[in-house]
Every structure is written in structure tokens, then in C-alpha cells.
């Protein structure tokens, strides 16, 4: 990452604010544009478009199992719907002059900032975890709440006289909160962007910066002046740049026919690659570049874990969590030195200590990218043991999540049956014998029994992955991503 990469976002904030100040203090002419009807149409059109986009984003976030995307949708739903109220209450258009337009503008920015700030929190934050449990209801529920608020406000606009968000000192208190939370959001997302280079993260940096400028214009500007009109276009720009970031990060580049075919494929490799979110794919590709063994291993473990999950009759959402969590379970190895990752022999005790940091390293990466609690548990806990002797947290028994226990069986089975530079691959029977010996010690007995019964009933469960996914196929797997 180049050191001057922050200049773009910095200029995006500083330049419009400087233009506003030049207009406000009289360095440039700041004419009046008193256009109630134009204001109504501009704000309403932007709000309707933004609402449609935000709802679509909310659906995407739910399907991707990414709470950050859902929070982004809620941020722009707040901005769109409450800002629509700002347009509908334009003075002398549908309503007489009231506090409602000013209150609605301030409130739209405040609510949008809260949700955007929440999206910057790690996905294992307690507040985020609680909201994640109701992810499917967040978008429709919030739309209902804001719609009721809008109807009541338009029916009784004078009630806004009791909530003077648009006058001192309350407007400056709101401004302080908006500025503080957006600065925190910018800092967190920019730090993540420096590591991952995900387009959406940079889009959020720009949007949060324009939120700051818009809020300052709201409280400093004079209504109907050219300088005052600026914040309307900055909010429009923030929505556009967010949409561009979402498209770049989450729209899969494939033909329509290819997309339809992918929905009905029976190919197990395509099922995995099609279910993985772009964030997962980016991390898997990065991990493969670090260690070519890992790619084949990752896919085999994912296939084994999915079959074991189906045997244990897990719900579809749990299976999707396994698919994504297993694909990135070793992503923490990105930060491990190559000399240790690719060492042709047993590791020293010091090297073993370093390699055992990879679950926590991977967990820290994924929690900042919006991965859900279930996927995070797989990344962090797939090396925990049933008797409590594993790492990194020494969890015991059912303290280890079921999904992590499932992946642990799949992970060790594949490690044992894979050819490595320092030992030959074990046979299936040898690996199963080891699993049985470690029931109640390393592994959850229920998971071991289910895996063995599944393999005895359908040997293709372990035969197909082990024979078709190896180091020679990593290029094919990468191209499918």
C-alpha cells in the first residue's frame, strides 16, 4: 500500500468543505436559489432511488451472511427514508413552514452515521452479535419503524417543535456525535483497506467523509444559498460511491446463462465456489499464494465438513457457515513466515508456538471483514480439543462450537490422508483408526461416529475429494474463483 493512498479521501473531504467556506465567507458569490418545488423533486428522487438500492443491499447482506453489508443497507435506508421526509416537508410545498425539514435532515444524518459506525465494529462485538441474531428482520423492521415515523411526522408536523435538532445547542451536540463516529468509522475502514484492499472499504471511507462535510454544511449554511445546496449533492455522491463499491466487491462477473447454470449444478466444486462470498474467495486465493498445499487441503476439508454436517442434519444456514468458515479456517497462516510454513520436516518448539498463532491471526482478520459468529468460531477453534488440551483458548467439550468440532474432524482426517514432504499419506483405514482412538480426547465422539458411519455407507464421500483435489488442481480451483 503506497503511503500517499490517503490523499484521495482527504481531498474528497477537504475540497468540498473549502469550497463551502469560500462561498459562506464571501470569497465567491453565494447566490440564493429559492426553489421549493425543485428541492422537493431533487430530494424525493434521490431518496426513492436510494431506498431501492439500500433494500437490494440488505437482501445481499442477508444472503452473504455478512452483517456489515446489512448495516450499510440500514445506514442508507435511514438516510433515504428520513431524507425523503425532509423533501416532503419542504416549506410552502405540501406543508407550511415548520421545524420538520431541518429536524428530518439532521435526523437522517444522525441515524445513517449510527448504522455506518456499527458496520465498522468487529463482528464478534456483543452489540453486533445481538443484532446478527435478527439479521433477516433488521431491514424490513427498520423500514416499518421509519415509515411509521414519517407518516406521524407528516400528519402532525408541529410535534417537531419539541425535538429542536436544527437549533443550538442540540444541533451542535448532534454534530459532535456525527463527526466523532464518522472519524472512528473512517479510521477503522481505512486500516482494514490498507490490509485487504477491498473496494467497499474505500467507498465507506469516502462516504463517511462526505457525511462529515454534509453535517457541517447543515449547521453552518444558510438555507437556499448555493453553499447550502452543496450537501444535497454530497449525500447523493456518497450513495453513488457506495453503490460502486458494492458492485465492484460483490457482483460476480459471469454471464446470465452461467449464473442460472450455477444454481442447478451438481458438481461439488462448483457448489463450494458458488456459495463462497467474494470476501471468502479473496482470502482463500491469498492463502493459496502463501502455501500451495493449503488450497487443496482447504477444499477437501470443506467438502468433508459439509458432508459431515449434512449427516448430522444441520440447517442450511449452518451448512453455509461451514462452507465459508472451512474455506478460510487456515487464513491466519498468511502471517506465518514462509520458512516455517514450507519447512520440510518437523517443527521446533519455537516454530510450533508461531504456527499455533494462526487461528487467532485468522480470527482477527475475519472479524474485521464482517464474518458472522459461526464462521469466526470455525476459524478460531478448529484446533481446540474435546479434553481441553487444544489451542488457542483451551476450550473443552461443548464449549467448542459444533461447527468447529465438525471442521476439526475433517481437518485432521485430511491432514493424515494427504501426502506431505516429511511423511507419506495414511490410508483411510489408518486415519479412521486414529479418529477412533482420539474419541473423547481430541474429537467430539458424536462427530467421529457420524463421519465413520457416513464413510462406510458411502465411500465416495472421502474417495472423490482425495483423488480429485490435489496440489496439481490448485490452478483449476483458483480459476473457478
Amino acid at each position: 500500500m503506497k503511503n500517499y493512498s490517503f490523499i484521495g479521501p482527504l481531498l474528497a473531504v477537504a475540497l468540498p468543505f473549502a469550497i463551502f467556506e469560500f462561498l459562506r465567507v464571501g470569497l465567491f458569490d453565494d447566490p440564493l436559489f429559492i426553489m421549493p418545488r425543485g428541492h422537493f423533486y431533487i430530494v424525493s428522487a434521490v431518496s426513492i432511488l436510494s431506498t431501492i438500492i439500500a433494500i437490494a443491499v440488505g437482501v445481499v447482506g442477508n444472503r452473504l451472511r455478512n452483517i456489515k453489508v446489512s448495516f450499510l443497507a440500514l445506514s442508507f435506508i435511514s438516510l433515504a427514508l428520513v431524507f425523503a421526509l425532509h423533501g416532503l416537508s419542504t416549506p410552502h410545498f405540501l406543508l407550511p413552514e415548520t421545524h420538520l425539514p431541518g429536524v428530518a435532515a439532521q435526523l437522517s444524518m444522525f441515524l445513517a452515521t449510527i448504522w455506518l459506525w456499527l458496520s465498522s465494529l468487529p463482528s464478534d462485538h456483543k452489540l453486533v452479535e445481538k443484532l446478527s441474531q435478527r439479521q433477516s428482520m433488521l431491514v424490513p423492521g427498520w423500514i416499518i419503524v421509519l415509515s411509521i415515523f414519517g407518516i406521524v411526522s407528516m400528519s402532525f408536523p408541529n410535534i417537531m417543535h419539541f425535538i429542536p435538532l436544527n437549533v443550538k445547542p442540540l444541533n451542535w451536540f448532534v454534530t459532535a456525535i456525527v463527526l466523532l463516529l464518522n472519524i472512528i468509522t473512517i479510521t477503522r475502514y481505512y486500516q482494514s483497506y490498507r490490509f485487504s484492499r477491498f473496494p467497499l472499504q474505500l467507498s465507506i471511507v469516502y462516504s463517511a467523509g462526505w457525511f462529515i462535510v454534509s453535517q457541517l454544511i447543515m449547521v453552518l449554511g444558510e438555507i437556499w444559498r448555493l453553499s447550502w445546496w452543496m450537501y444535497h449533492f454530497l449525500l447523493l455522491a456518497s450513495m453513488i460511491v457506495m453503490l460502486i463499491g458494492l458492485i465492484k466487491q460483490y457482483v460476480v462477473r459471469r454471464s446470465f446463462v452461467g449464473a442460472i447454470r450455477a444454481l442447478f449444478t451438481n458438481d461439488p466444486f462448483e457448489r463450494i465456489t458458488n456459495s463462497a462470498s467474494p470476501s471468502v474467495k479473496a482470502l482463500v486465493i491469498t492463502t493459496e499464494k502463501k502455501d500451495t498445499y493449503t488450497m487443496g487441503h482447504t477444499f477437501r476439508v470443506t467438502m468433508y465438513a459439509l458432508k459431515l454436517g449434512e449427516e448430522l442434519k444441520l440447517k442450511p444456514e449452518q451448512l453455509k457457515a461451514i462452507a465459508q468458515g472451512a474455506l478460510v479456517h487456515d487464513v491466519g497462516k498468511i502471517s506465518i513466515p514462509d520458512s516455517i510454513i514450507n519447512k520440510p520436516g518437523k517443527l521446533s518448539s519455537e516454530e510450533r508456538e508461531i504456527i499455533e498463532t494462526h487461528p487467532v491471526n485468522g480470527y482477527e482478520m475475519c472479524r474485521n471483514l464482517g464474518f458472522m459468529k459461526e464462521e469466526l468460531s470455525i476459524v478460531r477453534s478448529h484446533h481446540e480439543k474435546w479434553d481441553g488440551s487444544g489451542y488457542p483458548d483451551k476450550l473443552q467439550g461443548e464449549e467448542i462450537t459444533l461447527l468447529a468440532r465438525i471442521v476439526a474432524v475433517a481437518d485432521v482426517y485430511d491432514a493424515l490422508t494427504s501426502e506431505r514432504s516429511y511423511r507419506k499419506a495414511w490410508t483411510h483405514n489408518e486415519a479412521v483408526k486414529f479418529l477412533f482412538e482420539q474419541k473423547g480426547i481430541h474429537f467430539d465422539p458424536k462427530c467421529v461416529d457420524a463421519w465413520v458411519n457416513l464413510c462406510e455407507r458411502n465411500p465416495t464421500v472421502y474417495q472423490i475429494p482425495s483423488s480429485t483435489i490435489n496440489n496439481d488442481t490448485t490452478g483449476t480451483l483458483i480459476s473457478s474463483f
Side-chain angles (χ1 to χ4, degrees), residues 48 59 125 129 132 174 205 281 375 377 383 400-401 421 441 453 464:
I48 292 170
V59 173
H125 190 281
E129 283 187 4
S132 299
V174 171
V205 170
K281 294 178 181 181
E375 285 90 333
S377 73
H383 282 296
I400 311 165
T401 64
S421 59
I441 302 173
N453 291 336
I464 291 178

Side-chain angles (χ1 to χ4, degrees), residues 280-299 327 330-331 333-334 338 341-342 470-479 481:
V280 169
K281 294 178 181 181
L283 289 174
V284 171
I285 291 171
T286 303
T287 307
E288 188 274 338
K289 291 178 181 177
K290 181 78 173 181
D291 179 12
T292 53
Y293 160 77
T294 303
M295 186 62 175
H297 169 71
T298 293
F299 265 75
L327 279 173
D330 274 340
V331 71
K333 290 182 178 179
I334 292 173
D338 291 345
I341 289 288
N342 298 310
N470 51 54
N471 292 345
D472 294 332
T473 65
T474 56
T476 302
L477 292 171
I478 283 291
S479 64
F481 264 31

Side-chain angles (χ1 to χ4, degrees), residues 355-364 379-383 391-392:
I355 201 77
E356 288 182 0
T357 64
H358 81 269
V360 175
N361 295 341
Y363 169 81
E364 291 296 333
V379 175
R380 186 178 182 100
S381 303
H382 66 279
H383 282 296
Y391 62 90

